[in-house]
Amino acid sequence: MARCLQLAENGSGTTFPNPMVGCVIVKDGKIISEGWHHRAGEPHAEAQAIKKVDSLDLAGATLYVNLEPCNHVGRTPACAALIVASGIKTVVIGSVDTHHKVNGSGIEHLKKHDIEVISGVLTQECRSLNKRFFMFHEHHRPYVILKWAETKNGFVAPLIKKELRPVWISNEFARQHTHVLRSNENAILVGHRTWQLDHPKLSAYRWNENTPQIVVLGGEKPKRQDIVWLSSKDYHTPEQVTAKLYELEIQSVLVEGGPETLQRFIDANLWDECFCYKSKNSWNEGLPGPIIKTSLTPIGSFQDNVLYHGKNQI
């Protein structure tokens, strides 16, 4: 199952709206095939693994998968039916798929066709990998991650800006890591002041070709047609914002600020994780960063920048 999780993570940032899934097929104590879901619309992990092996070799084999096989036909065939037809006799599952189209039906289909099903293996780890997917389908909102950079004495932006571009607090290496964070999420959200004053690209080009949806909250409607704009009149609370993102089928959102936007999500207790890049430099004055009661833990450093991480214990 641990190998399934390793394989599944290869699909990070590319499988939306599908979950990340890895599959391993074992026979006579040896791994005979592996697969993982690459992208929505492409074959699922189970299909990837099964098609690599001769049907005679699959007879009596055991299939491991971190998420319950689907039992409905969408852009791809149902995996549960494919497993039944393959001759595999045992399926080991990490976690149940709580999507309403699955939710135990895959397991029922396998058992109905005399396949032994073992479930609940590394369940916590399996759910953690697909935390965005489970949050979306179980709580009907996107997984919310907050991100900001601040000086040693807690400022996130200057009081007055002379140019319409970002004023960098984090260094080059920390900024590249920001692109790593972006590449894993469905969308990036900023307030209208950040959008107007910084003209940020909000892309992940320094890491890969993943292109999160840009969401701008408040202010005037951006001229770019590819941007989701949420007016302050219609979406003035984080709850309304996340409800709209759920409606748009956005499973995760990285909230990048500014400080007022970040604080609104914190005050509403509507966030799941946060990342703060803290510089060793201090400013004499500036806009203070968000106030968060959760203890943040240092998890890495980029020369003179330290990355802090926190999880909301909702």
Side-chain angles (χ1 to χ4, degrees):
M1 190 59 66
R3 178 57 179 163
C4 290
L5 292 171
Q6 287 179 331
L7 292 166
E9 201 163 7
N10 288 325
S12 180
T14 63
T15 64
F16 295 123
N18 295 345
M20 292 176 280
V21 182
C23 177
V24 176
I25 300 177
V26 175
K27 187 173 182 180
D28 298 328
K30 296 181 180 180
I31 293 177
I32 62 172
S33 187
E34 296 181 335
W36 53 278
H37 185 40
H38 294 214
R39 192 176 300 274
E42 296 184 7
H44 290 184
E46 300 94 319
Q48 290 270 2
I50 288 172
K51 74 177 182 180
K52 294 178 182 178
V53 186
D54 187 279
S55 59
L56 293 176
D57 294 328
L58 289 171
T62 298
L63 181 145
Y64 293 79
V65 65
N66 59 289
L67 190 70
E68 175 187 4
C70 62
N71 191 36
H72 64 282
V73 177
R75 284 185 282 180
T76 58
C79 290
L82 181 63
I83 294 170
V84 169
S86 72
I88 290 170
K89 288 303 179 184
T90 304
V91 175
V92 182
I93 297 170
S95 59
V96 173
D97 184 343
T98 53
H99 188 297
H100 70 276
K101 290 183 179 180
V102 187
N103 202 22
S105 65
I107 293 175
E108 289 180 9
H109 186 82
L110 295 174
K111 289 181 176 180
K112 181 180 177 181
H113 290 83
D114 299 322
I115 291 178
E116 180 186 11
V117 177
I118 301 170
S119 58
V121 179
L122 296 184
T123 299
Q124 184 175 349
E125 291 85 348
C126 292
R127 285 184 60 85
S128 178
L129 177 72
N130 281 307
K131 56 194 175 186
R132 300 162 182 83
F133 178 82
F134 287 118
M135 177 63 71
F136 184 82
H137 289 291
E138 294 176 7
H139 299 278
H140 305 292
R141 70 164 176 86
Y143 193 86
V144 179
I145 301 174
L146 312 180
K147 188 235 87 177
W148 71 95
E150 65 180 35
T151 64
K152 185 177 181 179
N153 54 342
F155 294 123
V156 297
L159 291 177
I160 300 175
K161 292 192 65 177
K162 298 179 180 180
E163 297 179 312
L164 295 178
R165 63 179 183 84
V167 174
W168 298 116
I169 295 174
S170 55
N171 63 30
E172 187 77 12
F173 304 102
R175 293 201 295 275
Q176 181 169 354
H177 185 262
T178 291
H179 285 232
V180 177
L181 295 182
R182 289 174 177 174
S183 72
N184 292 325
E185 308 312 329
N186 228 173
I188 301 171
L189 183 147
V190 295
H192 66 93
R193 284 182 57 81
T194 297
W195 180 253
Q196 292 168 350
L197 295 177
D198 290 353
H199 287 189
K201 292 182 180 180
L202 301 179
S203 66
Y205 73 92
R206 292 189 180 190
W207 188 248
N208 58 28
E209 296 180 355
N210 290 355
T211 54
Q213 173 66 60
I214 297 174
V215 181
V216 176
L217 180 59
E220 297 182 0
K221 185 176 182 179
K223 295 180 181 180
R224 283 174 49 181
Q225 297 299 313
D226 60 329
I227 292 175
V228 171
W229 176 65
L230 303 180
S231 70
S232 299
K233 178 181 178 181
D234 297 324
Y235 304 98
H236 56 272
T237 69
E239 290 83 359
Q240 291 171 326
V241 170
T242 53
K244 181 60 177 179
L245 296 183
Y246 174 77
E247 181 183 322
L248 295 173
E249 298 187 351
I250 291 175
Q251 289 188 6
S252 67
V253 59
L254 182 65
V255 181
E256 293 207 18
E260 181 180 342
T261 300
L262 289 162
Q263 194 65 56
R264 288 169 66 183
F265 278 86
I266 293 170
D267 291 344
N269 200 33
L270 195 47
W271 64 279
D272 300 291
E273 290 185 67
C274 69
F275 293 90
C276 173
Y277 299 87
K278 187 177 283 288
S279 168
K280 71 172 184 179
N281 299 321
S282 295
W283 291 354
N284 293 327
E285 61 179 11
L287 294 176
I291 299 173
I292 192 165
K293 296 180 180 179
T294 302
S295 297
L296 304 186
T297 304
I299 60 171
S301 60
F302 305 94
Q303 291 188 341
D304 59 349
N305 286 187
V306 178
L307 175 61
Y308 289 82
H309 175 254
K311 295 191 71 173
N312 190 9
Q313 305 300 322
I314 299 176

